[in-house]
Amino acid sequence: MNNGKINVTVWNEYWHEQSEERIRKVYPEGIHAAVAAALNEAGNFNVTTATLDMPEHGLTQEVLDNTDVLFWWGHCKHGDVSDEIVDRVQKRVIEGMGLICLHSAHFSKIFKRMMATDCSLKWREWAEKERVWVIEPGHPIAQGLGEYFEIEQCEMYGEHFDIPTPDKVVFISWYEGGEVFRSGVTYERGRGRIFYFSPGHESFPIYYNENVKKVLVNAANWAAPRTQLREHICPCVEPLEPIENKAK
Ligand code: ZN
């Protein structure tokens, strides 16, 4: 933290917006800029952005050491993310850094690493309606939301979603086509908090939706570290009480 504010880094592979005009029209400055803008409106974050094509993907050790919460958006370029950077991010999550994985980041190297499952799901891009139901109304990530909110046009992500049983299922989405999906789930890994949130397909203006923006802000506040582990040690220790060492 810096000046009492939470340091957030928003990472984006930044591919669709540069390669396809129809996506650039939705997110002219990139999805990372839209997510950063939503967070900046809240006023209690220092927000920076990083993209795949930057040296070390913009995630140097120094950047990560100064990041309280990392947002991750990726889709087509998961395979281009270096394993060394994934190791680095995983270590920081275990130390206490928050990690928010958005939409197609369900298949990102870092999310799969943290979940240790296949993370596959069903999908359909028919611009149908999504109704996001709040399953945990008392959860900090759901603060300020109603019983549900709707996204007029979305990409359907459906069950079965191959993830470990979440600590909390904060949201379940229903889609016009009939499927349902655990669209907002939380985990803890080491000292770090992880939130996966599925809305956010690149061709729809989902990160401008007021309720979605509220979720991004709530998630960043929730995932901010409470304690940090900086030493990775596994010590052999003397007993607290006098005992006989029967192994000798
Ligand atoms: Zn998508």
Side-chain angles (χ1 to χ4, degrees), residues 196-215:
Y196 171 76
F197 185 55
S198 64
H201 182 64
E202 66 275 5
S203 66
F204 306 121
I206 290 171
Y207 294 123
Y208 304 117
N209 176 298
E210 289 304 321
N211 287 305
V212 168
K213 284 161 64 178
K214 213 169 273 182
V215 172

Side-chain angles (χ1 to χ4, degrees), residues 97-113:
M97 182 182 76
L99 176 67
I100 316 291
C101 291
L102 298 173
H103 189 58
S104 37
H106 72 93
F107 258 175
S108 62
K109 282 186 179 178
I110 185 60
F111 188 67
K112 292 179 80 165
R113 172 80 65 85

